[in-house]
Amino acid sequence: MYREMTTDELQEQLNQGVTLNLIDVREPDEWEEGHISSARSIPLSQFQARAHEVHDVEGEVVFICRSGGRSGRVCEFLTLQGFDVVNVAGGMLAWQGEIVEGK
């Protein structure tokens, strides 16, 4: 089973300068509407083709989506392959921090 963190915990870690490998699995139109500045975009629809990119960045691997469902599926998939990953419960709907719009 994968671990989860709340958006408050995510915000706290980002504020403390913790190095996180934050990956947003929402689709490009959702990403452009607003995302966390330190996140990278690997849309779920492209995930299998781009899964090799997950570990391109150092830090704990943390996934986020709109509500936590899609990122949870990615976490489940990667956990079954032996990876230690974290899902952000509540996703961007629960995120109270700053967002960046556009690409």
Side-chain angles (χ1 to χ4, degrees), residues 7 9 17 64 67 81 83 98-99:
T7 55
E9 290 168 329
I64 193 168
S67 65
Q81 295 184 29
F83 293 103
E98 291 184 28
I99 60 168

Side-chain angles (χ1 to χ4, degrees), residues 37-54:
S37 64
S38 60
R40 296 187 296 142
S41 175
I42 303 179
L44 185 59
S45 62
Q46 301 171 18
F47 194 81
Q48 284 198 315
R50 295 179 59 192
H52 64 279
E53 296 176 32
V54 168

